[in-house]
């Protein structure tokens, strides 16, 4: 693991506390010691308190809810203190994953080769631009997460000018719509199967009956189907004349540049698998522990220093700057992600699962109808400003084991992550929509409804069909 020489004189205390949360959460996954769990809980609570003033209202609300539920569990339901500690350990783990994604994003931002990969994708001819951008942004998002939107949108805006469109504003507008939707949908599709997918992490850790790795294959296939569906809609939305007459964006890059991105993703996965095998844990834990192992050497390779020692110094300086400047800005996300993890543990321990199963069956909400109802509930909730993170955390935590509901684990996970995926790209309140709208200088309503509405409506129907098909396949 890389070492940073830090002290409170050069780094904010909140940054130090979040760094300690990240390190202790990793160590707890390896050694499973109560003392480390207590350190994780203490450092995370310190970070939340130090950044409370600047935390957004949703984050504050989530923290307040968790405190209330914790008090009810401990004082009224008389659940053991270990449940509270387990909830904080889960919260620390979720926050550590979020920090790890940020570190991976930092590592890719210093790489000129990764920037050039983005330029190559944007510069494709109109006839295949959507396809390459959608699948390219999908691969980017495995390591960059939502940072993919910023990276590729910047390249799009730089190259897609009115001048490059021959002064034709309709061509410029069509280019922007097609490329922005390709980037957003490609990013969004990682929700179904990426080990760093927050939706998959929250769902798999809250549901009983399986692990995230049980769903990776199914999730990948569903993601590819939806990416292909998005390409079909785009293909038929633009006339053949416009596709062939529009000029390509100039670029000197060629396809071998993409090998840099493929290599980074491959290295992350191979090291994660090796670490998971070494510590006898899941791929998700392996991904978390491997982040420092991947980031530091990759950044050193990208640094311009004349010697290895100089590259090391530059890398450590960059990582320290990232901790100083970026860690405090994680305040709202850490509060929301962390409390979602804690809430899952608390509700799972507090709600009697057998009684919940009986209640749902008496309401005729079991089997396939329940799975479809979950998709629609999450999707509609997103339109009403109910963050999928909260909705899924609560619903997945109170549900009993899938077999008690006449469902397979994979079917239930698909319903949750699929509903989450379409809620985030169709709601004017979601981070994905708001970021995309800001980056392309459009309103959230334009992005969510005018540009992406048809895909959301037809894609949601396709999702329900995939849920039904998977249910019947497992029933055979």
């Amino acid at each position: 693991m890389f070492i940073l020489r830090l002290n409170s004189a050069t780094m904010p205390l909140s940054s130090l506390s979040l760094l300690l949360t990240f390190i202790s959460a990793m160590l707890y996954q390896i050694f499973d010691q109560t003392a480390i769990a207590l350190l994780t809980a203490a450092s995370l609570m310190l970070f939340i308190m130090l950044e409370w003033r600047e935390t957004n209202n949703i984050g504050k609300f989530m923290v307040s809810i968790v405190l209330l539920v914790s008090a009810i569990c401990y004082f009224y339901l008389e659940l053991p203190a270990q449940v509270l500690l387990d909830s904080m350990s889960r919260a620390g783990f979720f926050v550590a994953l979020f920090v790890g994604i940020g570190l991976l994003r930092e590592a890719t931002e210093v790489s000129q080769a990764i920037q050039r990969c983005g330029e190559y994708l944007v510069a494709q001819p109109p006839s295949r631009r959507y396809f390459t951008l959608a699948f390219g942004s999908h691969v980017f998002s495995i390591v960059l997460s939502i940072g993919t939107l910023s990276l590729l949108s910047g390249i799009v805006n730089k190259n897609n000018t009115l001048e490059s469109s021959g002064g034709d504003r309709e061509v410029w507008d069509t280019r922007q719509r097609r490329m922005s939707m390709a980037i957003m949908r490609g990013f969004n599709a990682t929700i179904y199967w990426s080990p760093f997918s927050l939706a998959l992490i929250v769902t798999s850790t809250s549901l009983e009956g399986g692990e995230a790795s049980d769903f990776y294959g199914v999730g990948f296939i569903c993601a590819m189907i939806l990416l292909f569906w998005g390409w079909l809609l785009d293909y038929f939305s633009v006339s053949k004349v416009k596709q062939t007459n529009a000029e390509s964006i100039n670029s000197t890059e060629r396809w071998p540049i993409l090998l840099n991105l493929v290599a980074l993703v491959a290295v992350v996965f191979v090291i994660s698998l090796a670490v998971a095998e070494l510590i006898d844990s899941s791929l998700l834990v392996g991904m978390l522990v491997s982040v420092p192992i991947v980031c530091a050497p990759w950044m050193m390779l990208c640094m311009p220093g004349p010697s290895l020692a100089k590259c090391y110094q530059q890398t450590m300086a960059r990582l320290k700057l990232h901790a100083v400047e970026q860690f405090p800005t994680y305040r709202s996300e850490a509060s929301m992600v962390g409390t979602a993890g804690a809430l899952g543990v608390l509700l799972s321990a507090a709600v009697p699962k057998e009684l919940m199963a009986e209640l749902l069956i008496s309401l005729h909400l079991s089997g396939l109808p329940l799975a479809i109802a979950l998709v629609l509930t999450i999707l509609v909730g997103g339109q009403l400003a109910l963050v999928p993170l909260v909705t899924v955390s609560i619903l997945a935590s109170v549900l009993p084991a899938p077999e008690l509901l006449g469902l397979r684990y994979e079917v239930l996970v698909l319903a949750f992550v699929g509903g989450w995926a379409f809620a985030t790209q169709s709601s004017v309140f979601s981070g994905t929509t708001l970021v995309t709208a800001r980056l392309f200088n459009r309103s959230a309503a334009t992005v969510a409804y005018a540009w992406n509405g048809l895909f959301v409506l037809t894609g949601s129907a396709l999702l329900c069909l995939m849920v039904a098909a998977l249910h019947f396949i497992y029933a055979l």
Side-chain angles (χ1 to χ4, degrees):
M1 184 181 299
F2 57 84
I3 301 173
L4 295 178
R5 294 181 180 177
L6 305 173
N7 57 67
S8 58
T10 59
M11 175 173 284
L13 185 56
S14 63
S15 294
L16 283 170
S17 60
L18 188 58
L19 178 62
L20 186 57
T21 302
F22 176 68
I23 295 172
S24 59
M26 283 195 300
L27 293 176
Y28 179 68
Q29 297 301 319
I30 299 173
F31 299 108
D32 192 22
Q33 295 294 314
T34 301
I36 302 177
L38 289 170
L39 178 60
T40 303
S43 56
L44 179 57
M45 287 189 290
L46 177 60
F47 175 76
I48 292 174
M49 288 188 293
L50 290 171
E51 294 294 335
W52 181 260
R53 185 187 297 270
E54 301 298 327
T55 302
N56 65 22
N57 291 331
I58 298 178
K60 290 178 179 178
F61 175 74
M62 288 287 289
V63 172
S64 301
I65 290 296
V66 167
L67 290 175
L68 177 61
V69 173
S70 298
I72 293 173
C73 288
Y74 187 71
F75 294 107
Y76 181 71
L77 299 178
E78 297 183 347
L79 295 178
Q82 185 61 42
V83 172
L84 302 184
L85 183 58
D86 289 343
S87 70
M88 287 305 299
S89 298
R90 176 77 62 80
F93 178 60
F94 278 20
V95 172
L97 283 169
F98 188 83
V99 173
I101 293 171
L103 289 174
L104 275 176
R105 187 163 60 245
E106 184 72 18
T108 56
E109 285 178 356
V110 302
S111 172
Q112 289 299 315
I114 298 298
Q115 298 283 335
R116 290 164 58 195
C117 286
E119 292 177 2
Y120 171 79
L121 294 175
V122 170
Q124 294 304 297
S127 59
R128 62 172 184 262
R129 185 178 297 150
Y130 180 95
F131 185 87
T132 53
L133 258 182
F135 284 87
S137 68
H138 186 72
V139 179
F140 263 103
S141 299
I142 296 171
V143 291
L144 275 180
S145 187
I146 201 169
T148 300
L149 300 179
S150 299
L151 172 65
L152 294 182
S153 66
I155 298 172
V156 166
N157 291 331
K158 175 184 175 183
N159 290 278
N160 181 38
T161 62
L162 196 58
E163 182 181 358
S164 69
S165 302
D168 190 329
R169 191 168 187 84
E170 184 180 0
V171 172
W172 172 81
D173 190 71
T174 300
R175 276 182 172 180
Q176 189 180 67
R177 174 180 59 79
R178 295 183 68 203
M179 290 193 284
S180 63
M181 289 301 94
I183 293 168
M184 186 172 80
R185 293 168 190 170
F187 155 70
N188 201 262
T190 59
I191 284 177
Y192 291 89
W193 72 276
S194 171
F196 276 131
S197 162
L198 181 60
L200 190 52
I201 293 168
V202 170
T203 302
S204 62
T205 53
S206 300
L207 273 179
E208 298 180 2
E211 297 181 353
S213 57
D214 299 329
F215 184 74
Y216 289 150
V218 171
F220 178 79
I221 293 171
C222 293
M224 294 302 104
I225 291 173
L226 288 167
L227 282 176
F228 182 72
W229 179 248
W231 171 75
L232 278 178
L233 290 180
D234 173 82
Y235 182 81
F236 289 108
S237 71
V238 181
S239 69
K240 202 69 177 176
V241 174
K242 286 185 178 180
Q243 288 191 36
T244 54
N245 288 349
E247 295 182 5
S248 300
I249 296 172
N250 292 327
S251 175
T252 59
E253 301 298 344
R254 294 295 179 265
W255 71 265
I257 192 64
L258 296 178
L259 295 178
N260 291 277
L261 179 60
V262 173
L264 177 58
V265 173
V267 167
V268 170
F269 272 98
V270 169
I271 294 180
S272 299
L273 286 169
V275 171
E277 186 70 24
L278 184 64
I279 64 177
D280 191 24
S281 189
S282 66
L283 176 61
L284 183 58
V285 174
M287 293 284 277
L288 173 61
V289 176
S290 67
V291 164
I293 302 173
V294 174
C295 286
W298 178 270
M299 293 178 71
M300 287 178 63
L301 289 173
C302 297
M303 289 299 172
S307 65
L308 186 62
K310 187 63 177 179
C311 289
Y312 173 80
Q313 293 174 0
Q314 292 172 339
T315 299
M316 294 303 105
R318 177 89 185 213
L319 288 171
K320 180 178 178 180
L321 185 65
H322 176 82
V324 171
E325 295 184 349
Q326 296 301 316
F327 279 11
T329 67
Y330 292 166
R331 59 183 73 90
S332 298
E333 290 84 355
S335 296
M336 294 172 62
V337 170
T339 51
L343 196 61
V345 174
L346 295 171
L347 291 177
S348 182
V351 176
K353 300 301 177 65
E354 292 77 9
L355 292 179
M356 179 59 69
E358 293 176 4
L359 174 62
L360 290 172
I361 292 173
S362 68
L363 295 174
H364 303 288
L365 279 176
S366 61
L368 185 58
L370 174 61
I372 301 299
L374 288 172
V375 172
L376 298 178
T377 299
I378 299 166
L379 181 56
V380 173
Q383 314 311 309
L384 302 175
L386 293 175
V387 183
L389 174 64
V390 179
T391 310
V392 172
S393 297
I394 294 174
L395 293 176
S397 300
V398 300
L399 285 180
E403 58 267 19
L404 296 178
L405 300 170
L407 286 168
R408 280 287 296 258
Y409 174 80
E410 294 85 351
V411 176
L412 209 48
V413 173
L414 178 58
F416 276 117
V417 299
W420 183 316
F422 279 107
T424 56
Q425 62 181 315
S426 65
S427 171
V428 295
F429 306 103
S430 82
T432 301
T433 303
L434 291 171
V435 169
T436 304
R438 175 174 54 82
L439 292 172
F440 288 97
N441 197 27
R442 303 286 177 145
S443 68
T446 297
V447 170
Y449 305 139
W451 286 1
N452 207 36
L454 180 61
F455 175 73
V456 170
L457 289 174
T458 57
S460 298
L462 180 57
L463 170 66
C464 290
L465 289 175
M466 289 192 293
V467 170
L470 189 64
H471 175 69
F472 289 122
I473 288 172
Y474 281 124
L476 293 177

